[in-house]
mmCIF file of all heavy atoms in Angstrom:
data_model
loop_
_atom_site.group_PDB
_atom_site.id
_atom_site.type_symbol
_atom_site.label_atom_id
_atom_site.label_comp_id
_atom_site.label_asym_id
_atom_site.label_seq_id
_atom_site.Cartn_x
_atom_site.Cartn_y
_atom_site.Cartn_z
ATOM 1 N N ASP A 8 -17.245 4.252 -60.797
ATOM 2 C CA ASP A 8 -16.632 3.391 -61.819
ATOM 3 C C ASP A 8 -15.244 3.910 -62.189
ATOM 4 O O ASP A 8 -14.287 3.137 -62.299
ATOM 5 C CB ASP A 8 -17.487 3.356 -63.097
ATOM 6 C CG ASP A 8 -18.836 2.711 -62.905
ATOM 7 O OD1 ASP A 8 -18.987 1.866 -61.996
ATOM 8 O OD2 ASP A 8 -19.758 3.067 -63.675
ATOM 9 N N LEU A 9 -15.135 5.218 -62.365
ATOM 10 C CA LEU A 9 -13.854 5.810 -62.739
ATOM 11 C C LEU A 9 -12.837 5.696 -61.610
ATOM 12 O O LEU A 9 -11.662 5.429 -61.851
ATOM 13 C CB LEU A 9 -14.045 7.267 -63.147
ATOM 14 C CG LEU A 9 -14.855 7.481 -64.421
ATOM 15 C CD1 LEU A 9 -15.073 8.963 -64.675
ATOM 16 C CD2 LEU A 9 -14.189 6.822 -65.611
ATOM 17 N N HIS A 10 -13.306 5.872 -60.385
ATOM 18 C CA HIS A 10 -12.407 5.708 -59.238
ATOM 19 C C HIS A 10 -11.850 4.288 -59.216
ATOM 20 O O HIS A 10 -10.651 4.079 -59.034
ATOM 21 C CB HIS A 10 -13.140 6.027 -57.932
ATOM 22 C CG HIS A 10 -12.293 5.823 -56.725
ATOM 23 N ND1 HIS A 10 -11.266 6.669 -56.387
ATOM 24 C CD2 HIS A 10 -12.300 4.853 -55.791
ATOM 25 C CE1 HIS A 10 -10.682 6.225 -55.298
ATOM 26 N NE2 HIS A 10 -11.286 5.122 -54.913
ATOM 27 N N GLU A 11 -12.710 3.315 -59.429
ATOM 28 C CA GLU A 11 -12.293 1.912 -59.440
ATOM 29 C C GLU A 11 -11.297 1.648 -60.578
ATOM 30 O O GLU A 11 -10.313 0.933 -60.406
ATOM 31 C CB GLU A 11 -13.520 1.008 -59.589
ATOM 32 C CG GLU A 11 -13.243 -0.456 -59.427
ATOM 33 C CD GLU A 11 -12.813 -0.838 -58.022
ATOM 34 O OE1 GLU A 11 -13.232 -0.172 -57.060
ATOM 35 O OE2 GLU A 11 -12.047 -1.809 -57.890
ATOM 36 N N LEU A 12 -11.526 2.248 -61.727
ATOM 37 C CA LEU A 12 -10.669 2.047 -62.892
ATOM 38 C C LEU A 12 -9.283 2.674 -62.702
ATOM 39 O O LEU A 12 -8.277 2.057 -63.045
ATOM 40 C CB LEU A 12 -11.345 2.647 -64.127
ATOM 41 C CG LEU A 12 -10.612 2.522 -65.454
ATOM 42 C CD1 LEU A 12 -10.467 1.053 -65.858
ATOM 43 C CD2 LEU A 12 -11.347 3.304 -66.538
ATOM 44 N N PHE A 13 -9.233 3.880 -62.132
ATOM 45 C CA PHE A 13 -7.971 4.619 -62.058
ATOM 46 C C PHE A 13 -7.188 4.397 -60.767
ATOM 47 O O PHE A 13 -5.984 4.632 -60.740
ATOM 48 C CB PHE A 13 -8.223 6.116 -62.258
ATOM 49 C CG PHE A 13 -8.432 6.478 -63.699
ATOM 50 C CD1 PHE A 13 -9.707 6.491 -64.241
ATOM 51 C CD2 PHE A 13 -7.364 6.776 -64.516
ATOM 52 C CE1 PHE A 13 -9.914 6.803 -65.578
ATOM 53 C CE2 PHE A 13 -7.545 7.090 -65.847
ATOM 54 C CZ PHE A 13 -8.825 7.099 -66.380
ATOM 55 N N ARG A 14 -7.812 3.929 -59.702
ATOM 56 C CA ARG A 14 -7.112 3.835 -58.414
ATOM 57 C C ARG A 14 -5.972 2.825 -58.420
ATOM 58 O O ARG A 14 -5.034 2.944 -57.643
ATOM 59 C CB ARG A 14 -8.084 3.531 -57.284
ATOM 60 C CG ARG A 14 -8.596 2.110 -57.269
ATOM 61 C CD ARG A 14 -9.573 1.908 -56.141
ATOM 62 N NE ARG A 14 -9.968 0.511 -56.110
ATOM 63 C CZ ARG A 14 -10.126 -0.160 -55.006
ATOM 64 N NH1 ARG A 14 -9.946 0.407 -53.850
ATOM 65 N NH2 ARG A 14 -10.485 -1.419 -55.069
ATOM 66 N N ARG A 15 -6.005 1.876 -59.313
ATOM 67 C CA ARG A 15 -4.927 0.876 -59.365
ATOM 68 C C ARG A 15 -3.605 1.460 -59.848
ATOM 69 O O ARG A 15 -2.562 0.840 -59.711
ATOM 70 C CB ARG A 15 -5.341 -0.324 -60.209
ATOM 71 C CG ARG A 15 -5.607 0.009 -61.652
ATOM 72 C CD ARG A 15 -6.120 -1.199 -62.392
ATOM 73 N NE ARG A 15 -6.824 -0.786 -63.584
ATOM 74 C CZ ARG A 15 -6.904 -1.511 -64.657
ATOM 75 N NH1 ARG A 15 -6.337 -2.691 -64.700
ATOM 76 N NH2 ARG A 15 -7.570 -1.068 -65.700
ATOM 77 N N PHE A 16 -3.641 2.687 -60.392
ATOM 78 C CA PHE A 16 -2.418 3.314 -60.889
ATOM 79 C C PHE A 16 -1.807 4.276 -59.880
ATOM 80 O O PHE A 16 -0.683 4.732 -60.071
ATOM 81 C CB PHE A 16 -2.695 4.042 -62.205
ATOM 82 C CG PHE A 16 -3.225 3.112 -63.248
ATOM 83 C CD1 PHE A 16 -4.563 3.130 -63.601
ATOM 84 C CD2 PHE A 16 -2.391 2.177 -63.851
ATOM 85 C CE1 PHE A 16 -5.053 2.250 -64.549
ATOM 86 C CE2 PHE A 16 -2.879 1.285 -64.794
ATOM 87 C CZ PHE A 16 -4.216 1.322 -65.141
ATOM 88 N N GLY A 17 -2.550 4.621 -58.841
ATOM 89 C CA GLY A 17 -2.043 5.528 -57.818
ATOM 90 C C GLY A 17 -3.169 6.327 -57.203
ATOM 91 O O GLY A 17 -4.341 6.163 -57.551
ATOM 92 N N HIS A 18 -2.801 7.213 -56.287
ATOM 93 C CA HIS A 18 -3.796 8.001 -55.564
ATOM 94 C C HIS A 18 -4.393 9.081 -56.461
ATOM 95 O O HIS A 18 -3.676 9.899 -57.034
ATOM 96 C CB HIS A 18 -3.155 8.648 -54.329
ATOM 97 C CG HIS A 18 -4.136 9.433 -53.528
ATOM 98 N ND1 HIS A 18 -4.251 10.790 -53.652
ATOM 99 C CD2 HIS A 18 -5.063 9.041 -52.622
ATOM 100 C CE1 HIS A 18 -5.214 11.209 -52.850
ATOM 101 N NE2 HIS A 18 -5.713 10.164 -52.211
ATOM 102 N N THR A 19 -5.714 9.072 -56.576
ATOM 103 C CA THR A 19 -6.419 10.126 -57.300
ATOM 104 C C THR A 19 -6.971 11.099 -56.271
ATOM 105 O O THR A 19 -7.575 10.689 -55.280
ATOM 106 C CB THR A 19 -7.566 9.564 -58.160
ATOM 107 O OG1 THR A 19 -8.456 8.823 -57.339
ATOM 108 C CG2 THR A 19 -7.048 8.683 -59.276
ATOM 109 N N SER A 20 -6.759 12.381 -56.492
ATOM 110 C CA SER A 20 -7.231 13.378 -55.545
ATOM 111 C C SER A 20 -8.618 13.898 -55.909
ATOM 112 O O SER A 20 -9.339 14.403 -55.056
ATOM 113 C CB SER A 20 -6.251 14.546 -55.465
ATOM 114 O OG SER A 20 -6.096 15.139 -56.732
ATOM 115 N N ARG A 21 -8.997 13.752 -57.180
ATOM 116 C CA ARG A 21 -10.299 14.253 -57.612
ATOM 117 C C ARG A 21 -10.668 13.607 -58.932
ATOM 118 O O ARG A 21 -9.816 13.398 -59.791
ATOM 119 C CB ARG A 21 -10.215 15.771 -57.804
ATOM 120 C CG ARG A 21 -11.495 16.413 -58.285
ATOM 121 C CD ARG A 21 -11.315 17.931 -58.347
ATOM 122 N NE ARG A 21 -12.526 18.569 -58.820
ATOM 123 C CZ ARG A 21 -12.692 19.042 -60.055
ATOM 124 N NH1 ARG A 21 -11.729 18.944 -60.936
ATOM 125 N NH2 ARG A 21 -13.817 19.622 -60.416
ATOM 126 N N ILE A 22 -11.952 13.310 -59.066
ATOM 127 C CA ILE A 22 -12.488 12.829 -60.334
ATOM 128 C C ILE A 22 -13.714 13.668 -60.634
ATOM 129 O O ILE A 22 -14.621 13.776 -59.804
ATOM 130 C CB ILE A 22 -12.858 11.332 -60.277
ATOM 131 C CG1 ILE A 22 -11.593 10.499 -60.079
ATOM 132 C CG2 ILE A 22 -13.606 10.914 -61.541
ATOM 133 C CD1 ILE A 22 -11.834 9.017 -59.940
ATOM 134 N N TYR A 23 -13.713 14.297 -61.798
ATOM 135 C CA TYR A 23 -14.860 15.085 -62.230
ATOM 136 C C TYR A 23 -15.441 14.431 -63.470
ATOM 137 O O TYR A 23 -14.780 14.343 -64.508
ATOM 138 C CB TYR A 23 -14.466 16.533 -62.553
ATOM 139 C CG TYR A 23 -15.592 17.279 -63.233
ATOM 140 C CD1 TYR A 23 -16.673 17.748 -62.496
ATOM 141 C CD2 TYR A 23 -15.587 17.475 -64.603
ATOM 142 C CE1 TYR A 23 -17.725 18.407 -63.118
ATOM 143 C CE2 TYR A 23 -16.625 18.127 -65.247
ATOM 144 C CZ TYR A 23 -17.691 18.596 -64.492
ATOM 145 O OH TYR A 23 -18.744 19.231 -65.112
ATOM 146 N N LEU A 24 -16.661 13.959 -63.356
ATOM 147 C CA LEU A 24 -17.380 13.365 -64.480
ATOM 148 C C LEU A 24 -18.412 14.370 -64.961
ATOM 149 O O LEU A 24 -19.296 14.770 -64.194
ATOM 150 C CB LEU A 24 -18.067 12.067 -64.046
ATOM 151 C CG LEU A 24 -18.962 11.392 -65.075
ATOM 152 C CD1 LEU A 24 -18.152 10.956 -66.301
ATOM 153 C CD2 LEU A 24 -19.674 10.199 -64.453
ATOM 154 N N ALA A 25 -18.286 14.805 -66.203
ATOM 155 C CA ALA A 25 -19.252 15.749 -66.763
ATOM 156 C C ALA A 25 -20.583 15.027 -66.965
ATOM 157 O O ALA A 25 -20.629 13.947 -67.555
ATOM 158 C CB ALA A 25 -18.743 16.300 -68.084
ATOM 159 N N LYS A 26 -21.659 15.647 -66.440
ATOM 160 C CA LYS A 26 -22.989 15.039 -66.536
ATOM 161 C C LYS A 26 -23.974 16.012 -67.151
ATOM 162 O O LYS A 26 -23.868 17.226 -66.969
ATOM 163 C CB LYS A 26 -23.495 14.644 -65.140
ATOM 164 C CG LYS A 26 -22.695 13.561 -64.488
ATOM 165 C CD LYS A 26 -23.279 13.238 -63.131
ATOM 166 C CE LYS A 26 -22.435 12.214 -62.403
ATOM 167 N NZ LYS A 26 -22.967 11.960 -61.070
ATOM 168 N N ASP A 27 -24.943 15.467 -67.854
ATOM 169 C CA ASP A 27 -26.031 16.248 -68.411
ATOM 170 C C ASP A 27 -26.893 16.761 -67.265
ATOM 171 O O ASP A 27 -27.239 16.002 -66.360
ATOM 172 C CB ASP A 27 -26.861 15.370 -69.353
ATOM 173 C CG ASP A 27 -27.968 16.151 -70.028
ATOM 174 O OD1 ASP A 27 -29.043 16.306 -69.388
ATOM 175 O OD2 ASP A 27 -27.780 16.586 -71.168
ATOM 176 N N ARG A 28 -27.224 18.030 -67.287
ATOM 177 C CA ARG A 28 -28.001 18.625 -66.183
ATOM 178 C C ARG A 28 -29.411 18.075 -66.076
ATOM 179 O O ARG A 28 -29.977 18.040 -64.993
ATOM 180 C CB ARG A 28 -28.070 20.137 -66.353
ATOM 181 C CG ARG A 28 -26.750 20.797 -66.123
ATOM 182 C CD ARG A 28 -26.862 22.289 -66.239
ATOM 183 N NE ARG A 28 -25.555 22.884 -66.034
ATOM 184 C CZ ARG A 28 -25.234 24.106 -66.366
ATOM 185 N NH1 ARG A 28 -26.127 24.881 -66.935
ATOM 186 N NH2 ARG A 28 -24.028 24.570 -66.134
ATOM 187 N N ILE A 29 -29.970 17.642 -67.174
ATOM 188 C CA ILE A 29 -31.357 17.161 -67.164
ATOM 189 C C ILE A 29 -31.422 15.668 -66.866
ATOM 190 O O ILE A 29 -32.153 15.227 -65.980
ATOM 191 C CB ILE A 29 -32.050 17.482 -68.509
ATOM 192 C CG1 ILE A 29 -32.116 19.008 -68.677
ATOM 193 C CG2 ILE A 29 -33.441 16.856 -68.572
ATOM 194 C CD1 ILE A 29 -32.545 19.467 -70.038
ATOM 195 N N THR A 30 -30.644 14.872 -67.584
ATOM 196 C CA THR A 30 -30.726 13.413 -67.433
ATOM 197 C C THR A 30 -29.789 12.875 -66.358
ATOM 198 O O THR A 30 -29.938 11.743 -65.924
ATOM 199 C CB THR A 30 -30.368 12.709 -68.755
ATOM 200 O OG1 THR A 30 -28.991 12.977 -69.064
ATOM 201 C CG2 THR A 30 -31.276 13.168 -69.886
ATOM 202 N N ASN A 31 -28.793 13.674 -65.960
ATOM 203 C CA ASN A 31 -27.775 13.272 -64.987
ATOM 204 C C ASN A 31 -26.905 12.116 -65.486
ATOM 205 O O ASN A 31 -26.218 11.469 -64.716
ATOM 206 C CB ASN A 31 -28.391 12.935 -63.629
ATOM 207 C CG ASN A 31 -27.407 13.150 -62.502
ATOM 208 O OD1 ASN A 31 -26.573 14.054 -62.550
ATOM 209 N ND2 ASN A 31 -27.475 12.320 -61.487
ATOM 210 N N GLN A 32 -26.927 11.864 -66.789
ATOM 211 C CA GLN A 32 -26.075 10.833 -67.375
ATOM 212 C C GLN A 32 -24.752 11.448 -67.804
ATOM 213 O O GLN A 32 -24.648 12.656 -68.036
ATOM 214 C CB GLN A 32 -26.751 10.202 -68.595
ATOM 215 C CG GLN A 32 -27.932 9.339 -68.254
ATOM 216 C CD GLN A 32 -28.515 8.704 -69.515
ATOM 217 O OE1 GLN A 32 -28.679 9.359 -70.536
ATOM 218 N NE2 GLN A 32 -28.840 7.429 -69.412
ATOM 219 N N SER A 33 -23.750 10.617 -67.928
ATOM 220 C CA SER A 33 -22.424 11.049 -68.357
ATOM 221 C C SER A 33 -22.504 11.724 -69.722
ATOM 222 O O SER A 33 -23.242 11.287 -70.603
ATOM 223 C CB SER A 33 -21.501 9.827 -68.442
ATOM 224 O OG SER A 33 -20.357 10.121 -69.198
ATOM 225 N N ARG A 34 -21.726 12.791 -69.880
ATOM 226 C CA ARG A 34 -21.624 13.476 -71.175
ATOM 227 C C ARG A 34 -20.484 12.910 -72.003
ATOM 228 O O ARG A 34 -20.176 13.416 -73.080
ATOM 229 C CB ARG A 34 -21.424 14.975 -70.961
ATOM 230 C CG ARG A 34 -22.686 15.641 -70.419
ATOM 231 C CD ARG A 34 -22.527 17.129 -70.246
ATOM 232 N NE ARG A 34 -22.058 17.771 -71.465
ATOM 233 C CZ ARG A 34 -21.352 18.904 -71.470
ATOM 234 N NH1 ARG A 34 -21.036 19.495 -70.352
ATOM 235 N NH2 ARG A 34 -20.950 19.424 -72.607
ATOM 236 N N GLY A 35 -19.829 11.852 -71.488
ATOM 237 C CA GLY A 35 -18.821 11.168 -72.292
ATOM 238 C C GLY A 35 -17.386 11.544 -72.001
ATOM 239 O O GLY A 35 -16.477 11.042 -72.647
ATOM 240 N N PHE A 36 -17.169 12.452 -71.028
ATOM 241 C CA PHE A 36 -15.784 12.794 -70.691
ATOM 242 C C PHE A 36 -15.660 13.079 -69.202
ATOM 243 O O PHE A 36 -16.634 13.368 -68.523
ATOM 244 C CB PHE A 36 -15.280 13.977 -71.521
ATOM 245 C CG PHE A 36 -15.916 15.307 -71.184
ATOM 246 C CD1 PHE A 36 -15.305 16.166 -70.287
ATOM 247 C CD2 PHE A 36 -17.102 15.693 -71.775
ATOM 248 C CE1 PHE A 36 -15.877 17.392 -69.981
ATOM 249 C CE2 PHE A 36 -17.686 16.919 -71.474
ATOM 250 C CZ PHE A 36 -17.067 17.771 -70.578
#
């Protein structure tokens, strides 16, 4: 989702999404 959102502005070399270790859901940043 983040790649899709940010790629229209230019080349992204890396996206790191912080995830909860137990639920594997986004931690919000």
